Amino acid sequence: MTTTGTTGSSRTIGTTWKVLRHPATLIALAAVLGIVFGLITGEWAANIKFIGDLFIRLIQMAIVPLVMASVIVATGSMTGSGMGRLAGRTFAWMIGFSVIAALVGWGLATLTQPGAGIDYSGAVDPALQESAKPASWQETVLGFVSTNIFNAMSTATMLPIIVFSLLFGLALNGYVRATGNTLVVTLLDQLQQIILGMIRLVMRIAPIGVFCLLAALAGDVGFAVVTTALSYLGSTLVGVLIVTGVFVIVVAIRTRLNPAALPGKLAEQTVIAVTTTSSAVTYPTVLKNAVEKVGISQRVANFTLSVGLTMGSYGAVLNYTIVILFLAQASRVELTPGQIILGMALAIMLNMGTITVPGGFAVAATFLATSLGLPLEAVGLLIAVDWFTGIFRTFLNVNGDTMVALLVANGTDEIDRDVYAGSTNVTAEAADEDELSEKFAAADRAD
């Protein structure tokens, strides 16, 4: 009896220790301690802000090569398989709902002003003020292309870098098709993996960086840092609920299926999604439920859900759009309509299978801020509460993919309505292991 009790205690201690060592737990603890430290020490906390700035710079350092390698590999390795009407419907619905998510994020952030609670006393960078001035549409279009890609890389001007990478990837794709030589794609894919390894190393010091950033922020603006974080989380949650509602309404109108049955069919994958905050981990359950509970054909489920694993990140698009407005509001920068549209486009492009970073919210937020020339002072606060927003994002990503698959299957009459009604049972086939391995590698991130 004593041995059993000791073993049980050891397991409990071991489990507790694993939870405490989890990166999200460490970052959350560091955030709380940093805020408390900043509130106690006041303006003195600004003396350790340079450590947090160093953490952000280490992330910024990897963004340009990561974006270039990711976009080129994603474009250069595309194949003709799975194309046609099925692919067209899948991409159309996914991009359409991504746009809706971006618009909802913009509308909510504009209405609730989640970043307005923080008021920085420092002056705005003159270069930032200059970039915020309205430009003609001709100048905006010309800004998509750089006359010197190395100059764009040195200044981290992301849009021309993405355009160059897309064109390079398309040319590389044509070269691979013509010659069968995949050496360059393989080389760039390996480069991408190495850069991701760099980011994993940098993220090990994330708790220290977040502690210093939030200590300085709390010392400067006081308790408003807490209320601002809650406002940001609230805006994201409301946005997720709104977009989910849009999904359900569109599915009900287009398919004429009873929407009241959806919660029960999506319950299992929802639990896995919100507890793991990973679309990749939830994917096998999503695929199984789509066929066995929702009645989607195996053909549509295999293709649409696997594409959705990297492209169907509606929750992330919503969240990233709110992040852009949050950073602008926190630093009192008035974004032009063109900059807002550009920001939403970048948020969508981040989730089109080009930039998938394990636990990469810090990279995504820094990427967006850098692309739009926004100050980075509040990024630490966003990183600190990202575990919660990760729950919201993954909930919408996973269930949104299932509803997109429903809409795609409806277009080709590939919904078994008896299965949906629960009067017939079917068994999902095992998906191709090699294909799943590739998809998991691409989507190996905490949403």
Side-chain angles (χ1 to χ4, degrees):
M1 295 294 291
T2 303
T3 302
T4 303
T6 303
T7 302
S9 299
S10 299
R11 287 177 179 173
T12 302
I13 294 172
T15 302
T16 303
W17 179 242
K18 285 182 180 180
V19 171
L20 290 175
R21 290 182 59 191
H22 193 279
T25 304
L26 293 175
I27 290 174
L29 288 173
V32 173
L33 293 174
I35 291 173
V36 172
F37 183 83
L39 292 175
I40 293 173
T41 59
E43 294 183 0
W44 185 91
N47 290 311
I48 61 172
K49 182 176 179 291
F50 78 97
I51 300 175
D53 291 338
L54 180 62
F55 164 64
I56 294 295
R57 287 193 177 205
L58 286 170
I59 294 176
Q60 286 180 294
M61 180 175 63
I63 287 179
V64 170
L66 175 64
V67 170
M68 294 192 73
S70 299
V71 174
I72 292 172
V73 169
T75 311
S77 58
M78 287 190 305
T79 63
S81 61
M83 294 299 174
R85 296 179 66 185
L86 176 61
R89 286 194 180 95
T90 298
F91 296 144
W93 281 114
M94 286 184 177
I95 293 173
F97 277 112
S98 293
V99 172
I100 290 173
L103 290 172
V104 170
W106 166 74
L108 274 174
T110 302
L111 181 66
T112 62
Q113 297 282 306
I118 298 180
D119 184 16
Y120 293 120
S121 57
V124 178
D125 188 335
L128 180 61
Q129 290 179 320
E130 182 67 26
S131 67
K133 292 181 178 179
S136 66
W137 68 268
Q138 294 96 334
E139 292 174 325
T140 301
V141 173
L142 285 175
F144 289 4
V145 181
S146 173
T147 58
N148 186 339
I149 191 59
F150 295 103
N151 182 59
M153 292 168 63
S154 67
T155 57
T157 310
M158 298 309 302
L159 195 57
I161 289 173
I162 292 175
V163 171
F164 173 86
S165 301
L166 284 170
L167 291 174
F168 190 97
L170 289 172
L172 178 59
N173 188 283
Y175 173 78
V176 171
R177 288 173 182 269
T179 65
N181 187 338
T182 60
L183 178 62
V184 177
V185 174
T186 302
L187 178 63
L188 289 172
D189 182 57
Q190 292 172 344
L191 174 63
Q192 181 187 23
Q193 298 308 313
I194 293 171
I195 298 170
L196 290 176
M198 286 176 55
I199 293 173
R200 290 187 185 98
L201 290 174
V202 172
M203 289 305 293
R204 290 184 180 181
I205 66 168
I208 299 173
V210 168
F211 174 90
C212 296
L213 286 170
L214 288 191
L217 193 59
D220 182 26
V221 304
F223 194 75
V225 68
V226 177
T227 56
T228 301
L230 293 176
S231 178
Y232 163 70
L233 288 173
S235 298
T236 305
L237 175 58
V238 171
V240 166
L241 295 176
I242 291 174
V243 177
T244 300
V246 173
F247 264 114
V248 172
I249 291 171
V250 173
V251 166
I253 293 174
R254 297 282 296 187
T255 66
R256 300 187 182 281
L257 294 170
N258 179 15
L262 275 174
K265 298 178 183 299
L266 304 179
E268 182 184 10
Q269 65 194 49
T270 297
V271 170
I272 297 174
V274 300
T275 54
T276 64
T277 65
S278 172
S279 295
V281 172
T282 315
Y283 178 78
T285 304
V286 174
L287 182 61
K288 178 174 177 290
N289 288 347
V291 177
E292 297 182 359
K293 294 183 178 181
V294 183
I296 299 168
S297 72
Q298 189 77 54
R299 181 181 81 100
V300 172
N302 284 347
F303 179 81
T304 301
L305 294 177
S306 62
V307 171
L309 196 58
T310 52
M311 283 186 63
S313 299
Y314 324 99
V317 172
L318 168 79
N319 183 213
Y320 293 158
T321 304
I322 293 175
V323 165
I324 292 169
L325 275 296
F326 178 95
L327 294 175
Q329 293 161 5
S331 51
R332 293 176 294 170
V333 172
E334 288 290 335
L335 294 176
T336 66
Q339 286 177 309
I340 293 173
I341 293 172
L342 173 59
M344 289 192 290
L346 289 173
I348 294 171
M349 291 175 67
L350 273 171
N351 298 285
M352 290 291 103
T354 55
I355 304 173
T356 51
V357 183
F361 176 81
V363 176
T366 308
F367 166 83
L368 291 169
T370 302
S371 301
L372 295 169
L374 295 172
L376 296 168
E377 286 88 344
V379 167
L381 176 62
L382 303 180
I383 296 173
V385 297
D386 184 56
W387 183 79
F388 297 101
T389 52
I391 292 174
F392 305 153
R393 291 194 302 266
T394 311
F395 167 85
L396 183 54
N397 293 347
V398 166
N399 292 319
D401 284 345
T402 298
M403 287 186 270
V404 164
L406 257 175
L407 292 167
V408 173
N410 182 70
T412 52
D413 197 22
E414 293 185 62
I415 300 175
D416 190 326
R417 295 175 182 271
D418 291 331
V419 171
Y420 188 90
S423 57
T424 302
N425 295 323
V426 296
T427 302
E429 300 172 5
D432 182 80
E433 293 297 327
D434 292 334
E435 181 181 345
L436 283 186
S437 296
E438 292 178 6
K439 293 295 179 182
F440 284 167
D444 181 21
R445 71 192 189 280
D447 298 65

